[in-house]
Amino acid sequence: MKNIKKMLKLIYMSCILILSAVPSQVSASSQWKIEKLADTAVDYLEIMDLENSIRNDLKNFYYKAMGTELPESFQLDLGQAKKIYVDAQVFSLKSSDTASFMQELENSDYMWLLPVQIGEDVFQVHIARGLPVREAIRDELSEDEIRRIEEKEGKWSLSGIELLKETEIDFERQVSDALEKVSYYDKDAQVVLCGGLNHIDNPAAVVLNSQKAELLIPMYDLKIDGTLQQIEEIMPQSAEKDSGVYLYDKIKEAANSMQSMKEYSGGSSWLELTEQDSPFTVPWYLPAACISIITLTAMLYWNWRRNAS
């Protein structure tokens, strides 16, 4: 009996040691950080100088939208603004490897999105850098309009404020919740926000592992613009449709197969995630842990039988 108790104690301790090596769900979720406007950002000082003007514009917008004054207790925190790359032509890249993807982002423009919660209402502040006058529309602009655009070129300013239908918005938590649903954990993965992706209406988070762009997570409902026929062709049913997680290469392939939009039509498109295509596999350490426990149990049992005889 004493040997049996000793054997069970050793097995129990072995299980504790093995399970302690498994990354916890909390620590995995906390890794999904989207770049914020930190004091190390090259844009930080210029954007912080806009704080008073952004607050005044938000105050005016809030009054027009809600019919009441902005609460005195409201605090504007520009440090919570998230970086989003706009019009990056990542779908046009031949490869989805992480290095090529990130290089394309570095060559692209970007802006800052600041979700603002005021009571039960959510607003989104857009902070963008002024772009040069587009030659295609120069003839349609007045001299005064051209002058104002040229004065803002290369400078950061408030480009828009919108009242969202959502009652709360937290990009990082959205990403964490979506990846938790599909049990995706990769300590080397990173997340970037992209807007203006070809044929995709809304901003999306792209998850890149150490080798390639792997997943795409819409921050709102995924809308793929195209003709009804084109949309129907990329709408197979999927067991993963409620997760809000898409395989990046499938979305890229679908978007690149669509021709230029001739008539507008929006729709939710859930691309099929088959077992063969799914990146959500059983972590390597779980089978290893089971094998280790079984092996240890067998060795201890054999040792107990030998001593008992």
Side-chain angles (χ1 to χ4, degrees):
M1 179 63 70
K2 185 176 180 180
N3 287 333
I4 293 177
K5 288 183 178 181
K6 184 177 180 181
M7 178 181 68
L8 293 176
K9 183 177 179 180
L10 286 173
I11 294 174
Y12 174 77
M13 293 301 296
S14 299
C15 291
I16 294 296
L17 289 173
I18 292 172
L19 292 176
S20 66
V22 177
S24 69
Q25 182 169 307
V26 174
S27 63
S29 297
S30 65
Q31 85 173 77
W32 308 118
K33 299 298 182 183
I34 297 171
E35 185 176 352
K36 294 182 181 179
L37 181 61
D39 56 8
T40 54
V42 294
D43 316 315
Y44 180 78
L45 293 178
E46 184 178 351
I47 293 178
M48 292 304 292
D49 286 341
L50 301 173
E51 184 170 1
N52 289 334
S53 63
I54 291 177
R55 182 183 175 87
N56 289 335
D57 287 335
L58 182 59
K59 179 180 178 181
N60 294 332
F61 183 89
Y62 184 84
Y63 182 80
K64 292 179 181 179
M66 312 306 296
T68 185
E69 295 290 342
L70 187 70
E72 291 293 333
S73 59
F74 170 70
Q75 298 291 325
L76 183 67
D77 185 2
L78 295 180
Q80 295 303 310
K82 302 293 194 303
K83 189 175 189 178
I84 177 170
Y85 294 91
V86 292
D87 297 329
Q89 300 302 306
V90 290
F91 283 173
S92 65
L93 297 173
K94 292 182 179 180
S95 171
S96 297
D97 68 90
T98 297
S100 299
F101 189 100
M102 295 304 296
Q103 183 60 52
E104 175 62 26
L105 294 188
E106 291 300 318
N107 296 332
S108 304
D109 202 0
Y110 62 90
M111 61 184 295
W112 298 92
L113 292 181
L114 176 64
V116 177
Q117 183 95 33
I118 305 176
E120 296 182 355
D121 301 300
V122 179
F123 300 82
Q124 189 153 257
V125 174
H126 298 241
I127 305 170
R129 187 162 39 198
L131 300 176
V133 179
R134 291 170 54 196
E135 293 302 322
I137 64 171
R138 179 179 287 272
D139 293 339
E140 302 174 12
L141 302 175
S142 66
E143 292 184 2
D144 188 51
E145 289 173 329
I146 293 175
R147 179 183 56 81
R148 288 201 301 268
I149 294 175
E150 290 177 342
E151 287 177 352
K152 291 185 176 181
E153 183 178 343
K155 299 178 182 178
W156 289 98
S157 64
L158 174 67
S159 62
I161 302 174
E162 59 180 326
L163 173 61
L164 303 180
K165 291 184 294 185
E166 287 76 7
T167 56
E168 184 179 10
I169 184 167
D170 185 333
F171 294 146
E172 290 172 347
R173 190 168 73 181
Q174 283 179 257
V175 171
S176 295
D177 290 348
L179 295 179
E180 182 179 329
K181 287 181 182 178
V182 294
S183 301
Y184 178 85
Y185 305 109
D186 185 336
K187 64 182 180 64
D188 297 320
Q190 58 180 314
V191 179
V192 293
L193 282 182
C194 295
L197 295 175
N198 190 25
H199 288 297
I200 294 182
D201 231 10
N202 295 319
V206 177
V207 180
L208 302 104
N209 61 30
S210 59
Q211 297 179 326
K212 61 176 289 187
E214 187 172 13
L215 306 173
L216 184 144
I217 306 171
M219 294 295 94
Y220 312 102
D221 290 340
L222 179 61
K223 294 181 180 179
I224 296 185
D225 295 336
T227 65
L228 285 173
Q229 181 181 0
Q230 289 171 332
I231 291 173
E232 288 173 358
E233 288 175 354
I234 59 173
M235 286 184 62
Q237 296 298 312
S238 168
E240 298 288 347
K241 69 179 184 178
D242 293 327
S243 69
V245 179
Y246 298 74
L247 292 173
Y248 175 83
D249 280 339
K250 279 187 171 286
I251 293 291
K252 176 182 174 181
E253 179 183 358
N256 287 337
S257 68
M258 296 170 67
Q259 299 175 355
S260 298
M261 182 175 60
K262 296 181 180 179
E263 61 181 272
Y264 176 80
S265 177
S268 296
S269 171
W270 300 101
L271 300 187
E272 186 177 8
L273 296 178
T274 65
E275 290 184 6
Q276 180 179 358
D277 298 323
S278 175
F280 316 121
T281 56
V282 177
W284 64 268
Y285 47 77
L286 292 184
C290 293
I291 293 173
S292 299
I293 292 173
I294 293 172
T295 302
L296 180 61
T297 302
M299 291 176 62
L300 291 173
Y301 179 75
W302 177 80
N303 187 59
W304 169 74
R305 287 292 302 272
R306 185 181 63 178
N307 292 336
S309 61

